[in-house]
């Protein structure tokens, strides 16, 4: 029996029990922290930038393409003229130059400013022969040796160059190598009736030249030449034996961007 002076024979038992409780609580805390660290390490971690490296800013999404269309005022160009003008503006194919489109079916030339606004249009005289492909070596042939079937105005994309011909007259080269240019109409041979052909309401009689594009004097001097001198010009001679899309690798702007808020219905 314990004596009244010392009722508990093990006075250190409460201290030992408290230490054991603290030890158990500490172990539980360490295990819990370890589990939390393990879970965190298992999650995807952002890469740590190297010392001195700039923090990467998330790339912003590019703005949706806003389709561009040429404007025609009160005029009504052919479907091919509209197709090529719209595509040239939307794609940037003209590279900031004015746009000249030669519609051989309609025997008409259309001039747009670099933003795609129609400046003017006019009838024109074209190569007497129908066809789109140039004859090899045609630029080296004397006019007297050019056969009737070789008198074509070749289709294609060209960059205009201001120059002079062999008589010292200023002209706009469509292609120097092919000897094809745009110039004032020359009514030197009365039997050809070039001025009358330009003034007629039909395009059927506008095929008379060796391949060059004859223009009314006022249009050439007051419209085409100033545009070529100020902004340069990209010339598109439309084909007459194959689709324009095949000739230029173009696309229909309205169809390509259908669903955007600026595309026409």
């Amino acid at each position: 029996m314990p004596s009244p002076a010392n009722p508990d024979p093990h006075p250190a038992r409460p201290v030992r029990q408290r230490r054991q409780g603290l030890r158990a609580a500490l172990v539980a805390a360490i295990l819990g922290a370890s589990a939390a660290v393990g879970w965190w390490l298992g999650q995807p971690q952002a890469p740590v930038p190297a010392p001195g490296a700039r923090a990467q800013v998330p790339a912003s999404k590019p703005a949706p393409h806003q389709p561009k269309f040429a404007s025609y005022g009160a005029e009504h160009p052919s479907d091919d003229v509209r197709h090529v003008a719209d595509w040239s503006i939307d794609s940037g194919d003209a590279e900031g130059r004015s746009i000249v489109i030669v519609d051989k079916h309609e025997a008409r030339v259309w001039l747009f400013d670099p933003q795609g606004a129609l400046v003017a249009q006019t009838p024109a005289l074209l190569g007497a022969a129908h066809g789109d492909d140039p004859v090899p070596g045609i630029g080296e042939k004397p006019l007297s040796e050019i056969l009737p079937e070789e008198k074509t105005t070749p289709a294609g994309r060209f960059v205009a160059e201001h120059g002079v011909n062999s008589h010292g007259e200023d002209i706009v080269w469509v292609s120097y190598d092919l000897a094809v240019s745009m110039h004032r109409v020359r009514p030197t041979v009365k039997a050809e009736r070039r001025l009358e052909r330009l003034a007629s309401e039909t395009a059927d009689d506008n095929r008379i030249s060796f391949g060059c594009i004859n223009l009314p004097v006022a249009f050439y001097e007051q419209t085409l030449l100033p545009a070529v001198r100020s902004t340069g010009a990209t010339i598109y001679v439309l084909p007459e034996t194959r689709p324009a899309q095949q000739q230029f690798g173009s696309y229909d702007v309205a169809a390509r961007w259908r669903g955007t808020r600026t595309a026409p219905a």
Side-chain angles (χ1 to χ4, degrees), residues 27 32 56 60 85 97-98 105 119 148 180 183 206 209 231 233 235 250:
V27 170
Q56 293 185 352
S60 58
R97 295 182 282 264
S98 292
H105 284 298
V119 176
V180 175
H183 58 73
N206 288 39
S209 78
T231 65
I235 301 172
S250 52

Side-chain angles (χ1 to χ4, degrees), residues 14 34 36 74 115 155 170 175 181 214 234:
S34 299
Q115 288 71 47
D170 67 280
S175 171
S181 67
N214 292 205
T234 300

Side-chain angles (χ1 to χ4, degrees), residues 46-169:
V48 179
R54 294 180 179 179
Q56 293 185 352
V57 178
S60 58
K61 293 183 179 180
H65 177 79
Q66 298 298 317
K68 300 176 183 177
F69 300 90
S71 56
Y72 309 96
E75 299 291 347
H76 301 283
S78 67
D79 290 344
D80 280 348
V81 170
R82 186 180 295 272
H83 167 84
V84 172
D86 288 347
W87 163 75
S88 178
I89 291 297
D90 188 69
S91 67
D93 185 77
E95 299 178 329
R97 295 182 282 264
S98 292
I99 298 169
V100 177
I101 300 179
V102 181
D103 186 349
K104 292 199 289 182
H105 284 298
E106 301 291 334
R108 193 163 289 272
V109 171
W110 299 75
L111 174 64
F112 301 83
D113 69 16
Q115 288 71 47
L118 178 65
V119 176
Q121 53 88 19
T122 184
L125 301 181
L126 306 171
H130 289 263
D132 294 319
D133 300 312
V135 177
I138 191 69
E140 303 297 327
K141 274 190 172 186
L143 293 180
S144 59
E145 296 182 9
I146 296 178
L147 303 176
E149 63 270 19
E150 295 176 338
K151 297 178 181 180
T152 60
T153 300
R157 176 191 184 276
F158 307 93
V159 176
E161 295 182 61
H162 184 219
V164 294
N165 61 14
S166 59
H167 302 290
E169 176 190 14

Side-chain angles (χ1 to χ4, degrees), residues 181-196:
S181 67
M182 307 178 82
H183 58 73
R184 304 170 185 85
V185 61
R186 304 182 192 120
T188 53
V189 181
K190 290 185 179 181
E192 292 181 343
R193 302 175 57 254
R194 296 201 178 202
L195 293 180
E196 290 82 358

Side-chain angles (χ1 to χ4, degrees), residues 6-45:
N6 188 15
D8 188 352
H10 303 288
R13 181 178 296 170
V15 176
R16 186 179 303 114
Q17 290 175 345
R18 285 196 299 272
R19 288 178 178 175
Q20 289 175 347
L22 291 173
R23 187 179 298 113
L26 179 61
V27 170
I30 292 173
L31 291 176
S34 299
V37 170
W39 174 87
W40 181 80
L41 291 177
Q43 302 304 305
Q45 303 296 311

